[in-house]
């Protein structure tokens, strides 16, 4: 027999030459020098020796019972030069490639937050080559959480941080009871972090260490994982690292899929995975993923899930799969799920789940195989004339699918209408299978009422030829009831959590929390709650919109220095976000500014009052003009108006007096000069004019008195004409009442 040709490839750890058979593609060999396990790909054995690239290597395992169940590291690159400690968060460390100088994160634009203000760390749940998970208490919500961090130099790796945030974003888009939920993610002074749901049980890996799991329990657990995995696949998310360590079990035995650190989105994996890179855990890695992680899809995850089920039911690692160790009812299902070609496997998680369920059901004889008198339910042979089975009492008569006349169950053709039953039976089964799929789809999308209606119809089917759905229906109805109760309880918890976030003024977290409630359930009344999730979500959304509006308005006005009335807007926003230190600072600055404006106003009022008293009206107006309009009062307005009126009157009097003086129209001018001096007493020019006008008036008064006395003497001697002539010498503007009366008498 011809020996296979061998090629040489270097050991990635020590550089020793490894002699690899050309038929060794997809296998692993151990370096005889350093004992490192090396995964051999098809590309390696098909290339000439000088072109063989170093393969991915598994770091040496710690010897001991803790690695007896496939405690392998998770690969994250074609080469692993750096050896990591075998510590793990489940079965072994998950690492993301060596850290090079060109892979250092300087600034990823993430806000630095203070976790200590909200979370109290109580201990470490686990450590891996790159990661650490801490147990903490959320002080705001009073619940346990898991804080996942990147350890050491990995926190400076762009690749590691990118995958870390990929996990956050991947889980955040999913909402399923069988997926560990993410509450928050970000970065603090020590590096990036995830705030995850705390699962208070153990991992499936730890459960497997106790020995093989009973078949029905194992299948039930994997069916639940299928539900969560199907949710991820529907969102276009491929896990790529499914293994027992990445399935956590609650104390109630509910499995939860976790660790999406190597997940990829089917629409693109730019920057995360290079073509040809090896990602995942070798024993649970499908063939295509061993060659190139970018080729992994939903069917690859199902291969890994099947390998996980193999370990569960056999208690052995899937390093070498022996189907003789698998319960017989499960062999065909696992055989198909573990096919090398993706096209030959189950194509969806739902299809895999249905096959697993069907494997647990005891098969009854098919109608086409029945002999005369044979019972379809138990297979007992009866006399052909019997109507009921003598063993299980099931009816041996069924209605024709065409004319509805009763015929023996074993008859292939109706004796009344001649219709062949097989085609109609297959059509009916097909329709019921479609109903089954529709019901499961409705349950998956929380359409409990419609799913119940379909399941009840399948359960109540009386035709013994169609009883294969009865067991499924009963179990499915229990799932619906359990699912409805779980979702209502979960919705209630999420509603309470959102209310607590609202009380803490964390509207984004409250909205994110409520968005985890399925849309179809948001309008449902929750026992013990006066609000539905939809109403609270609407209130929170409106509040957050108002916060964003006020925040943007305040920022714009601060930048534009339009600060008048801004304190009112800041107070409104602080009422919604009282913990905003930046707003507190702005408020303090605005209050200080207002205090200074008020102080300036009061000083201006005092100055203006003093200037008005000193008859400096223009100065008073100028002083009051410095008062900011934001702090103006009625007193300022009245004082400014009074000063303006006096200044205007003073200017008007100056103009009138100047014109009258120029025109020699001095009669009555003294009154205006007196008014002018009352407004401006230190006007020396007006004072001199006043003296001249008073001297003139005194002179005129003396002359007027002399004329009146002379006219009075003429009147007394009855010389009325001469009296009138004497009085006529008085200018019209100077005539007094006494002179006027005398003139009138003499006339």
């Amino acid at each position: 027999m011809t020996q296979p040709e061998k090629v040489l490839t270097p050991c990635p750890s020590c550089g020793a030459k490894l002699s690899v058979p050309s038929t060794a593609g997809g296998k692993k060999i151990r370096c005889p020098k350093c004992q490192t396990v090396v995964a051999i790909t098809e590309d390696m054995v098909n290339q000439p020796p000088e072109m063989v690239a170093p393969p991915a290597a598994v770091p040496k395992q710690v010897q001991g019972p803790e690695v007896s169940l496939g405690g392998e590291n998770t690969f994250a690159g074609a080469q692993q030069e750096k050896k990591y400690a075998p510590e793990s968060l489940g079965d072994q460390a998950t690492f993301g490639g060596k850290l090079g100088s060109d892979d250092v994160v300087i600034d990823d634009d993430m806000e630095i937050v203070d976790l200590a203000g909200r979370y109290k760390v109580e201990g470490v749940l686990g450590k891996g080559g790159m990661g650490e998970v801490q147990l903490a208490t959320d002080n705001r919500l009073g619940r346990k959480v898991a804080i996942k961090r990147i350890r050491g130099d990995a926190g400076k790796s762009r690749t590691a941080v990118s995958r870390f945030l990929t996990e956050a974003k991947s889980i955040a888009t999913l909402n399923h009871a069988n997926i560990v939920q993410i509450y928050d993610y970000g970065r603090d002074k020590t590096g990036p972090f995830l705030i995850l749901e705390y699962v208070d049980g153990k991992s499936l890996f730890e459960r497997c260490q106790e020995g093989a799991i009973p078949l029905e329990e194992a299948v039930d657990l994997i069916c639940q994982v299928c539900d969560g995995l199907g949710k991820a696949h529907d969102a276009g998310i491929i896990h790529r690292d499914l293994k027992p360590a990445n399935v956590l079990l609650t104390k109630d035995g509910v499995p939860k899929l976790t660790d999406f650190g190597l997940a990829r989105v089917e629409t693109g994996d730019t920057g995360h995975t290079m073509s040809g890179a090896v990602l995942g855990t070798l024993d649970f890695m499908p063939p295509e993923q061993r060659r190139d992680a970018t080729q992994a899809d939903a069917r690859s995850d199902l291969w890994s899930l099947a390998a996980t089920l193999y370990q569960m039911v056999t208690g052995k690692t899937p390093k070498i799969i022996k189907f003789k160790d698998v319960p017989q009812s499960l062999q065909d299902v696992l055989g198909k799920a573990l096919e090398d070609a993706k096209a030959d496997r189950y194509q969806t998680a739902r299809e895999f789940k249905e096959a697993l369920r069907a494997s647990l059901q005891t098969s009854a004889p098919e109608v086409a195989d029945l002999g005369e008198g044979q019972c379809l339910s138990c297979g007992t042979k009866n006399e052909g004339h019997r109507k009921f089975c003598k063993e299980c009492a099931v009816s041996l008569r069924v209605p024709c699918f065409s004319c509805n006349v009763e015929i023996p169950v074993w008859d292939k053709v109706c004796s009344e209408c001649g219709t062949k039953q097989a085609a109609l039976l297959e059509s009916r089964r097909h329709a019921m299978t479609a109903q089954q799929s529709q019901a499961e789809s409705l349950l998956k999308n929380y359409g409990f009422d419609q799913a119940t209606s379909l399941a009840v119809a399948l359960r109540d089917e009386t035709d013994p030829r169609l009883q294969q759905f009865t067991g499924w229906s009963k179990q499915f109805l229990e799932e619906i009831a359990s699912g409805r109760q779980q979702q209502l309880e979960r919705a209630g918890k999420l509603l309470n959590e959102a209310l607590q976030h609202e009380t803490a003024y964390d509207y984004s977290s409250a909205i994110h929390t409520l968005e985890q409630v399925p849309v179809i359930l948001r309008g449902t009344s929750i026992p013990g709650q006066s609000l539905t999730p939809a109403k609270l979500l609407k209130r929170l959304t409106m509040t957050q919109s108002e916060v964003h509006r006020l925040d943007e308005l305040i920022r714009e006005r601060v930048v534009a220095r339009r600060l008048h009335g801004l304190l009112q807007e800041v107070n409104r926003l602080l009422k919604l976000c009282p913990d905003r230190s930046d707003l507190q600072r702005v408020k303090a600055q605005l209050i200080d500014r207002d205090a200074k404006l008020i102080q300036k106003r009061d000083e201006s009022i005092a100055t203006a009052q003093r200037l008005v008293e000193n008859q400096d009206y223009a100065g008073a107006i100028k002083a009051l003009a410095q008062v900011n309009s934001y702090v103006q009062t009625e007193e300022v307005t009245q004082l400014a108006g009074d000063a303006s009126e006096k200044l205007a009157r003073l200017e008007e009097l100056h103009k009138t007096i100047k014109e009258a003086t120029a025109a020699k129209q001095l009669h009555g001018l003294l009154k205006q000069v007196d008014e002018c001096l009352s407004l401006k007493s230190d006007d020396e020019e007006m004072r001199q004019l006043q003296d001249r006008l008073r001297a003139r008036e005194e002179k005129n008064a003396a002359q007027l008195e002399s004329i009146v006395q002379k006219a009075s003497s003429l009147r007394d001697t009855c010389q009325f004409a001469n009296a009138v002539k004497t009085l006529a010498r008085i200018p019209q503007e100077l005539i007094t009442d006494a002179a006027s009366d005398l003139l009138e008498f003499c006339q």
Side-chain angles (χ1 to χ4, degrees):
M1 183 174 178
T2 303
Q3 294 295 323
E5 183 182 353
K6 294 187 177 182
V7 296
L8 296 178
T9 183
C11 173
S13 295
C14 66
K17 295 294 184 181
L18 303 179
S19 179
V20 182
S22 59
T23 58
K27 297 181 180 179
K28 294 177 289 184
I29 64 173
R30 188 180 298 277
C31 174
K33 183 176 180 180
C34 67
Q35 298 300 307
T36 296
V37 177
V38 181
I40 306 301
T41 67
E42 294 289 345
D43 293 338
M44 292 177 185
V45 299
N46 290 331
Q47 293 179 359
E50 64 272 12
M51 297 184 63
V52 176
V58 181
K60 284 196 294 184
Q61 301 297 306
V62 174
Q63 301 301 315
E66 68 274 13
V67 295
S68 62
L69 290 175
E72 297 80 11
N73 291 305
T74 297
F75 291 130
Q79 299 186 42
Q80 294 295 341
E81 297 180 8
K82 183 173 181 179
K83 294 181 177 66
Y84 289 84
E87 299 168 308
S88 75
L89 304 184
D91 53 354
Q92 273 298 331
T94 296
F95 52 87
K98 68 175 184 177
L99 179 63
S101 60
D102 60 343
D103 192 38
V104 176
V105 175
I106 297 175
D107 181 10
D108 56 9
D109 295 328
M110 291 183 68
E111 178 187 1
I112 304 298
V113 299
D114 180 17
L115 278 182
R118 178 169 173 187
Y119 299 98
K120 179 183 179 183
V121 176
E122 300 176 358
V124 176
L125 293 172
K127 292 182 179 180
M130 286 176 58
E132 176 179 278
V133 179
Q134 300 171 327
L135 174 64
T137 296
D138 185 334
N139 296 325
R140 178 189 299 171
L141 302 175
R143 69 179 174 193
K144 301 291 185 183
V145 298
I147 302 179
K148 186 172 182 178
R149 295 181 176 276
I150 297 181
R151 300 175 62 210
D153 289 343
K156 302 175 183 178
S157 164
R158 286 192 181 93
T159 302
V161 172
S162 179
R163 286 195 176 121
F164 196 74
L165 296 180
T166 292
E167 177 174 8
K169 294 173 183 177
S170 298
I171 305 176
T173 61
L174 305 177
N175 171 28
H176 199 279
N178 298 116
I179 297 177
V180 172
Q181 295 300 294
I182 181 168
Y183 300 138
D184 197 4
Y185 68 93
R187 179 189 287 278
D188 67 358
K189 61 183 179 181
T190 62
F193 64 83
L194 303 181
I195 307 298
L196 298 166
E197 172 188 2
Y198 170 61
V199 181
D200 57 353
K202 54 189 174 183
S203 72
L204 187 56
F205 172 74
E206 293 171 305
R207 176 67 178 85
C208 288
Q209 285 184 310
E210 299 171 3
I213 300 175
L215 178 61
E216 290 190 3
E217 180 185 350
V219 169
D220 179 61
L221 288 172
I222 293 298
C223 283
Q224 292 183 64
V225 175
C226 279
D227 291 337
L229 189 60
K231 181 76 172 182
H233 289 169
D234 288 345
I237 296 171
I238 311 303
H239 191 285
R240 299 199 296 187
D241 197 18
L242 273 167
K243 55 184 178 180
N246 287 340
V247 177
L248 303 181
L249 301 173
T250 68
K251 287 184 177 179
D252 298 329
V254 177
K256 289 182 177 284
L257 189 57
T258 188
D259 203 347
F260 282 73
L262 298 184
R264 68 180 280 264
V265 180
E266 286 190 306
T267 53
D269 192 31
T270 305
H272 285 188
T273 309
M274 293 188 300
S275 180
V278 178
L279 292 170
T281 303
L282 201 58
D283 287 354
F284 299 90
M285 194 187 304
E288 66 276 6
Q289 193 170 334
R290 300 186 187 201
R291 294 189 295 269
D292 184 353
T294 62
Q295 300 303 310
D297 60 16
R299 296 167 295 182
S300 306
D301 278 350
L302 295 179
W303 194 99
S304 301
L305 190 59
T308 298
L309 178 58
Y310 176 87
Q311 180 163 310
M312 293 168 67
V313 297
T314 64
K316 301 176 182 179
T317 173
K319 193 184 298 284
I320 298 175
I321 294 176
K322 298 178 181 179
F323 285 106
K324 64 181 182 64
D325 295 335
V326 177
Q328 187 172 3
S329 63
L330 196 61
Q331 289 179 4
D332 290 342
V333 176
L334 273 186
K336 181 174 181 178
L338 293 170
E339 287 282 357
D340 285 346
K342 292 190 285 187
D344 295 336
R345 304 173 198 157
Y346 296 104
Q347 301 298 293
T348 65
R350 182 185 302 166
E351 186 180 345
F352 185 33
K353 175 184 174 182
E354 290 173 354
L356 288 173
R357 279 182 175 170
S359 71
L360 297 178
Q361 297 177 1
T362 303
S363 57
E366 286 291 331
V367 175
D369 299 330
L370 290 178
E372 183 176 352
Q374 188 174 9
C375 176
L376 182 60
S377 294
C378 65
T380 301
K381 290 285 188 176
N382 293 275
E383 295 79 8
H385 66 274
R386 289 186 66 91
K387 291 187 177 182
F388 296 93
C389 176
K390 60 186 178 183
E391 183 66 28
C392 65
V394 169
S395 175
L396 299 175
R397 296 289 186 268
V398 292
C400 169
F401 284 116
S402 178
C403 66
N404 213 36
V405 170
E406 280 195 351
I407 60 174
V409 67
W410 53 83
D411 277 2
K412 296 175 177 59
V413 178
C414 176
S415 60
E416 293 295 324
C417 65
T419 301
K420 293 182 178 180
Q421 300 295 297
L424 296 177
L425 175 60
E426 184 61 28
S427 176
R428 183 70 182 277
R429 281 178 175 172
H430 182 75
M432 294 178 76
T433 300
Q435 282 182 273
Q436 181 187 35
S437 297
Q438 184 182 0
E440 289 183 336
S441 178
L442 287 167
L443 176 59
K444 184 177 180 181
N445 293 295
Y446 313 108
F448 299 116
D449 293 338
Q450 292 172 287
T452 298
S453 178
L454 290 171
V456 167
L458 293 175
R459 181 199 63 187
D460 294 343
E461 174 60 57
T462 57
D463 194 321
R465 292 169 294 183
L466 301 170
Q467 294 296 301
Q468 61 266 41
F469 296 100
T470 302
W472 170 87
S473 298
K474 292 178 179 178
Q475 181 181 355
F476 187 68
L477 286 169
E478 291 177 1
E479 288 184 25
I480 292 175
S482 175
R484 188 197 301 269
Q485 183 62 28
Q486 287 179 4
Q487 285 301 319
L488 286 177
E489 289 177 358
R490 184 167 184 270
K493 291 179 180 178
L494 291 172
L495 187 62
N496 282 326
E497 181 180 330
L499 287 169
Q500 288 176 287
H501 283 307
E502 184 184 34
T503 302
Y505 310 105
D506 188 353
Y507 306 111
S508 295
S509 294
I511 290 172
H512 173 70
T513 298
L514 281 181
E515 285 176 343
Q516 296 178 51
V517 178
V519 176
I520 195 172
L521 299 179
R522 290 178 188 173
T524 304
S525 296
I526 306 298
Q529 295 287 353
S530 58
L531 277 174
T532 64
K535 288 182 179 179
L536 180 55
L537 185 59
K538 181 179 180 180
R539 184 172 82 193
L540 289 167
T541 303
M542 292 175 63
T543 301
Q544 188 180 51
S545 296
E546 179 66 3
V547 168
H548 289 163
R549 185 191 72 80
L550 289 170
D551 196 50
E552 184 176 353
L553 174 66
I554 292 169
R555 291 179 188 277
E556 288 178 354
R557 291 185 59 178
V558 167
V559 170
R561 305 301 299 169
R562 294 186 291 109
L563 306 179
H564 300 337
L566 187 58
L567 183 58
Q568 180 180 356
E569 305 297 337
V570 171
N571 282 330
R572 289 177 62 188
L573 185 52
L574 274 173
K575 187 175 181 180
L576 299 175
C577 306
D579 56 345
R580 287 272 298 271
S581 58
D582 57 332
L583 288 176
Q584 295 287 0
R585 288 194 300 271
V586 171
K587 179 179 180 179
Q589 291 169 357
L590 290 173
I591 290 175
D592 182 61
R593 175 181 177 273
D594 287 354
K596 290 179 179 178
L597 290 177
I598 291 171
Q599 181 182 0
K600 179 66 175 176
R601 178 198 66 194
D602 294 343
E603 290 174 354
S604 295
I605 290 174
T607 300
Q609 287 174 338
R610 186 175 65 255
L611 290 170
V612 168
E613 290 174 1
N614 294 331
Q615 299 180 325
D616 183 0
Y617 310 114
I621 293 170
K622 184 177 180 181
L624 292 172
Q626 297 179 26
V627 176
N628 193 296
S629 59
Y630 176 52
V631 293
Q632 276 197 356
T633 62
E634 185 177 349
E635 183 181 10
V636 174
T637 304
Q638 186 174 351
L639 187 57
D642 184 42
S644 297
E645 288 179 7
K646 289 181 176 179
L647 181 61
R649 180 57 180 163
L650 187 60
E651 291 174 348
E652 181 184 0
L653 288 170
H654 270 283
K655 181 180 179 183
T656 301
I657 293 169
K658 183 177 179 182
E659 290 175 351
T661 304
K664 304 294 185 182
Q665 296 175 356
L666 305 179
H667 180 68
L669 193 58
L670 181 59
K671 183 178 180 181
Q672 293 174 313
V673 171
D674 289 341
E675 184 182 355
C676 184
L677 285 169
S678 69
L679 295 173
K680 190 68 173 174
S681 60
D682 59 351
D683 190 337
E684 187 59 32
E685 184 180 355
M686 285 295 114
R687 181 68 64 188
Q688 294 175 3
L689 179 59
Q690 183 188 50
D691 291 342
R692 292 198 302 270
L693 289 175
R694 283 180 177 174
R696 179 177 178 277
E697 285 194 359
E698 289 175 359
K699 181 180 178 181
N700 288 339
Q703 292 176 351
L704 178 62
E705 185 177 358
S706 175
I707 292 172
V708 171
Q709 287 179 353
K710 185 177 180 180
S712 296
S713 298
L714 292 171
R715 179 199 63 189
D716 292 343
T717 60
C718 298
Q719 298 180 49
F720 301 113
N722 289 334
V724 170
K725 188 182 293 185
T726 298
L727 290 171
R729 291 163 53 193
I730 302 173
Q732 185 63 37
E733 64 272 10
L734 297 179
I735 194 167
T736 62
D737 290 341
S740 180
D741 292 342
L742 181 59
L743 178 60
E744 184 180 355
F745 178 80
C746 292
Q747 288 175 336

